[in-house]
Amino acid sequence: MNGVTTFYQLNTIFISMVMEAIPFVLVGVLISGLIQAFVKESFISRIMPRNRFLAAFVGCGIGLFFPSCECGIVPITRRLLKKGMPLHAGIAFMLTGPILNPIVLFSTYIAFGNSWEMVGIRAGLAAAVAFSVAVILSYMFKTIPFKHTNQDIVPSGAHIQGTDEKKRIPVRTKLYEVIVHAIEEFFSVGKYLVLGAFIAASMQTFVPTSYLLHLGSNPLTSSLVMIALAFLISLCSEADAFIAASFRSTFTVGSLSAFLVFGPMVDIKNTLMLLGTFRTKFVLVLIGLIVCFTLAGSLVVGRLF
């Protein structure tokens, strides 16, 4: 492969990733803006269970109502946490939102030949991983570890004072606030998206996929390979099922489930977004837990199916 061909391949992959992700980032920042303008802290506090296990369970289910992929889920989660959602519920939502939404589940159904089996495996494993990770993090971190400014470091589940005004704000003013907030959030998140897409495109261009596939000779290594592949390729969750389906003749159901669950939870793009939102220690612990539970779950799935 000569230099010109390599450049064009890198450029094509990079642009396709950015173009694929931008619509979902836009959806994410618009939802974040709507939450900022219309959702009150008192409402979050009222609907969220006090019990950490129930709150994490509810967090896993919220994704059904937010059709956003991993490209746009971080700003939504950050806004919900600042509005008073407990850390464990927010993390559970962030991890399941890109998987347990109707668009992704339907695309998985289509990609695997109109079969509900992989849809059920993907949804079940995602919920189990997210719930387990969220509950463990709730014991490890007593405050929400936002990266910037001390005023953002608030107790998990506590809402920020002074934002629920008694006076009524006109809807027109709130809609203007939505647009302004969405624009600010888009540029805040966008720089991490672009950098992550460039790194992912470089990985796909310069790291031979055949080398990774060669390692998938047993359930453990094949799941590890598919986890690494999901991280490196950094596909949007609406499209990753079609890539996973192309590996059916090479990899086990367990390793495919690892690909379908880990990628939407952690890839290059949203790792950079996470590092821009949360403290580094928290992000590293979060990713480590996701790797462990996804790997363990994929091995169980491999034995059952």
Side-chain angles (χ1 to χ4, degrees):
M1 185 182 296
N2 59 46
V4 175
T5 304
T6 301
F7 172 78
Y8 279 121
Q9 181 178 341
L10 175 65
N11 186 60
T12 301
I13 295 173
F14 170 71
I15 292 176
S16 64
M17 278 188 174
V18 173
M19 295 303 293
E20 178 187 47
I22 280 179
F24 300 103
V25 173
L26 287 173
V27 171
V29 298
L30 283 173
I31 293 174
S32 176
L34 289 169
I35 293 171
Q36 164 69 11
F38 292 99
V39 178
K40 294 184 177 182
E41 287 87 340
S42 57
F43 175 75
I44 297 286
S45 179
R46 197 163 56 244
I47 66 170
M48 193 58 59
R50 297 296 180 186
N51 182 280
R52 77 178 71 216
F53 298 99
L54 287 177
F57 180 78
V58 170
C60 289
I62 296 176
L64 289 169
F65 307 100
F66 286 87
S68 176
C69 77
E70 68 278 5
C71 304
I73 201 70
V74 175
I76 299 174
T77 303
R78 176 169 60 186
R79 179 53 49 195
L80 288 172
L81 291 174
K82 287 186 176 182
K83 284 286 183 178
M85 177 177 280
L87 178 64
H88 39 282
I91 295 302
F93 162 68
M94 185 178 73
L95 299 182
T96 56
I99 301 173
L100 299 184
N101 74 66
I103 298 173
V104 172
L105 295 179
F106 182 69
S107 70
T108 305
Y109 170 76
I110 296 297
F112 283 86
N114 298 340
S115 170
W116 289 107
E117 181 179 75
M118 187 55 76
V119 175
I121 291 172
R122 184 179 198 182
L125 181 57
V129 171
F131 180 84
S132 302
V133 170
V135 170
I136 291 175
L137 287 175
S138 73
Y139 286 103
M140 296 180 66
F141 296 88
K142 301 303 181 184
T143 59
I144 299 175
F146 287 125
K147 183 174 183 177
H148 298 295
T149 73
N150 292 332
Q151 65 183 11
D152 283 341
I153 312 300
V154 297
S156 179
H159 43 78
I160 303 169
Q161 301 296 324
T163 54
D164 277 352
E165 300 290 345
K166 291 183 178 180
K167 64 180 181 179
R168 289 186 175 274
I169 301 175
V171 174
R172 185 176 178 180
T173 302
K174 286 191 173 186
L175 290 176
Y176 176 76
E177 182 184 347
V178 170
I179 299 301
V180 171
H181 176 82
I183 291 172
E184 293 175 351
E185 197 90 341
F186 177 79
F187 284 105
S188 174
V189 172
K191 59 179 178 289
Y192 298 109
L193 167 65
V194 171
L195 178 59
F198 179 76
I199 295 173
S202 300
M203 291 289 187
Q204 291 192 54
T205 302
F206 299 109
V207 177
T209 305
S210 58
Y211 175 75
L212 295 175
L213 297 179
H214 179 70
L215 299 176
S217 57
N218 66 61
L220 178 60
T221 58
S222 62
S223 288
L224 288 172
V225 165
M226 291 305 279
I227 286 173
L229 200 60
F231 180 82
L232 296 176
I233 294 179
S234 298
L235 292 168
C236 280
S237 55
E238 280 79 5
D240 60 359
F242 297 94
I243 303 301
S246 68
F247 291 129
R248 280 182 292 181
S249 61
T250 310
F251 286 91
T252 64
V253 173
S255 58
L256 294 180
S257 69
F259 179 88
L260 291 170
V261 169
F262 187 81
M265 292 185 179
V266 184
D267 62 16
I268 293 176
K269 299 190 301 293
N270 72 355
T271 296
L272 289 173
M273 293 180 195
L274 287 169
L275 288 170
T277 301
F278 299 103
R279 292 184 173 181
T280 302
K281 177 183 176 181
F282 175 79
V283 175
L284 293 176
V285 172
L286 172 67
I287 293 175
L289 289 173
I290 295 171
V291 170
C292 292
F293 280 106
T294 301
L295 181 60
S298 70
L299 294 176
V300 172
V301 169
R303 286 184 173 275
L304 296 176
F305 297 90

